[in-house]
Amino acid sequence: MSTTFKNIFAGLQGDKTIWAIVALLALFSFLPVYSAASNLAYIKGDGNTVRFLIKHGMHLVLGFAMLYGVHKIPHHYFKGLSFIALPVVIILLIVTLAQGTTMGGANASRWIKIPILGVGFQTSTFAGVVLMVYVARYLAKIKDTVVTFKETIVPLWLPVAAVLALILPANFSTTAIIAAMVVALVFLGGYPLKYLGIIIATGVVALLFFVLLAKAFPGVFPNRVDTWISRVENFANNEVDADADYQIEKAKIAIASGGVIGLGPGKSVQKNFLPQSSSDFIYAIIVEEFGLAGAGFLLFLYMLLLFRITVVAHKAETVFAKLVVVGVGLPIVFQALINMAVAVELFPVTGQTLPLVSSGGTSIWMTCLAVGIVLSVSAKRAPVVPKDESELNPLDILSEAI
């Protein structure tokens, strides 16, 4: 067994600091998840929190297996893989939206059930990673070439619009994050600013038109639309939202109770009152139990991750490598900051989890997928030059062709 682990650790490639950060976040997550899960254990079960801990551990094991496998793939293969995966993602989003899943009487068309396993999978999170790789591929392709706005509509903006439009009705926060990251990526990729301005203006108009339609025909659109519209309006107008306001108030009580060093692991009181204490509002529980010191250390880890992602992108040798690192790495830190901001009421309630810390399979798996891509780039493997074309595999051919 020890030999097996030695072989695994010897096979770790890429930025060692990123490996350490991801491992620390995963190990630390067991404490707040185990503590916060006590509320779920009594509401949905017999009070046994161990099964929630085991479930979280299995999610992490599967996530790290995915991370390990992905980081072994030469990064230039992701060009072809994104091109193949994007149509699959669009089909999955259509199926997810069409099934009309409800939770507590409200629309929650975010998940589909994985056959045989019966596990819920949030397709929008997977779509975000695939879309960022696809956009990075296209930007690398047109780098240092003069393109017209018309030439970029079908290969670039049509897929982006399709993905965002399919996610928007059920998940505004994820749509907003993906849209912001795409805009940031195309800006960094050197896309003409005058064209980018047209896209942003078109997106704002389209969003306003969608909101007006949702207001005019409330029966046509999912109930979830009314939820996120009301949350944004109430937050902007400083009005009370019964559900969101209750969660925020409990989160602020938890944060205020934490002090400098916190109440101690497992001693949170507000975990018994916060409905999403192990996922959306886990940061508030962390502050309550580990205080400002623990919360500051967690923030430091995410900022260090951002720094290392920047370093990897800077050292990357190709345009695609630089852009794909920024495209899949930046949203991890951005999502973490949003989760923390929600807990202290800087943002309206979004439903975004704390990457690698919150419970939830899809969030962990897709974060590991993104980190695996970053580590693949940082590994800087020497390209294998085939002796003749017969030695090229399909991904080599596809990556070169597109």
Side-chain angles (χ1 to χ4, degrees):
M1 183 66 73
S2 60
T3 304
T4 303
F5 279 112
K6 285 181 180 179
N7 292 335
I8 292 175
F9 287 127
L12 298 183
Q13 297 176 316
D15 192 289
K16 296 299 187 290
T17 304
I18 293 180
W19 276 110
I21 294 169
V22 172
L24 281 173
L25 288 171
L27 289 173
F28 174 76
S29 70
F30 281 96
L31 292 174
V33 166
Y34 182 66
S35 174
S38 60
N39 183 37
L40 290 174
Y42 283 101
I43 293 175
K44 300 183 178 180
D46 55 2
N48 182 12
T49 57
V50 176
R51 66 188 183 93
F52 288 94
L53 188 65
I54 294 174
K55 183 179 180 181
H56 180 65
M58 292 303 295
H59 286 157
L60 283 172
V61 168
L62 184 56
F64 271 77
M66 183 184 299
L67 190 161
Y68 184 83
V70 170
H71 105 287
K72 288 288 188 180
I73 301 173
H75 71 268
H76 65 273
Y77 284 171
F78 295 118
K79 290 182 182 180
L81 289 171
S82 69
F83 193 77
I84 296 171
L86 189 61
V88 176
V89 160
I90 292 175
I91 293 172
L92 287 175
L93 289 174
I94 292 172
V95 171
T96 305
L97 189 61
Q99 70 179 0
T101 303
T102 58
M103 295 180 65
N107 181 280
S109 300
R110 303 182 182 191
W111 297 270
I112 58 173
K113 289 287 185 181
I114 300 177
I116 302 175
L117 297 178
V119 178
F121 181 78
Q122 191 168 347
T123 52
S124 59
T125 310
F126 177 53
V129 177
V130 172
L131 184 64
M132 297 308 292
V133 179
Y134 176 86
V135 172
R137 178 203 66 83
Y138 181 77
L139 292 172
K141 183 179 179 180
I142 65 170
K143 185 67 176 175
D144 298 325
T145 61
V146 179
V147 294
T148 64
F149 178 67
K150 186 177 180 180
E151 290 174 334
T152 64
I153 292 177
V154 173
L156 176 61
W157 296 116
L158 189 60
V160 171
V163 170
L164 295 179
L166 290 170
I167 298 175
L168 177 61
N171 198 336
F172 172 72
S173 60
T174 299
T175 306
I177 290 175
I178 295 175
M181 293 299 98
V182 168
V183 169
L185 186 60
V186 295
F187 172 76
L188 294 173
Y191 188 75
L193 290 179
K194 58 182 179 180
Y195 300 157
L196 185 57
I198 295 173
I199 290 298
I200 294 174
T202 303
V204 172
V205 171
L207 178 61
L208 292 175
F209 182 69
F210 177 78
V211 171
L212 290 174
L213 282 179
K215 290 286 190 180
F217 306 100
V220 176
F221 295 94
N223 295 336
R224 191 72 193 174
V225 175
D226 295 330
T227 300
W228 60 255
I229 290 176
S230 64
R231 283 181 178 177
V232 173
E233 289 178 345
N234 292 335
F235 179 83
N237 299 326
N238 199 26
E239 296 176 356
V240 175
D241 181 309
D243 177 54
D245 188 65
Y246 172 81
Q247 296 182 82
I248 288 295
E249 289 304 315
K250 294 301 179 184
K252 290 195 291 187
I253 292 172
I255 292 171
S257 303
V260 177
I261 60 173
L263 303 179
K267 295 183 179 180
S268 167
V269 176
Q270 298 308 315
K271 67 184 180 184
N272 299 311
F273 303 99
L274 267 170
Q276 305 295 332
S277 57
S278 65
S279 54
D280 300 359
F281 285 91
I282 198 168
Y283 187 68
I285 304 303
I286 290 172
V287 178
E288 185 179 12
E289 294 189 348
F290 299 94
L292 184 62
F297 177 70
L298 194 63
L299 180 59
F300 168 76
L301 287 180
Y302 284 114
M303 291 298 99
L304 182 58
L305 178 61
L306 176 61
F307 173 72
R308 294 311 305 176
I309 287 171
T310 305
V311 170
V312 172
H314 178 71
K315 291 183 177 180
E317 297 175 351
T318 65
V319 174
F320 171 73
K322 292 176 183 292
L323 292 175
V324 79
V325 168
V326 173
V328 301
L330 192 59
I332 299 173
V333 181
F334 191 57
Q335 181 179 328
L337 294 177
I338 288 177
N339 179 277
M340 297 175 185
V342 168
V344 296
E345 208 179 5
L346 290 177
F347 273 23
V349 177
T350 61
Q352 295 298 318
T353 57
L354 195 58
L356 291 172
V357 177
S358 295
S359 61
T362 306
S363 174
I364 292 172
W365 300 334
M366 293 305 102
T367 301
C368 288
L369 173 62
V371 173
I373 295 173
V374 174
L375 289 171
S376 174
V377 173
S378 68
K380 290 187 176 180
R381 299 177 183 85
V384 177
V385 181
K387 295 179 181 179
D388 55 65
E389 293 186 1
S390 64
E391 295 184 9
L392 286 170
N393 63 49
L395 280 178
D396 280 314
I397 298 172
L398 181 60
S399 296
E400 292 300 322
I402 62 175

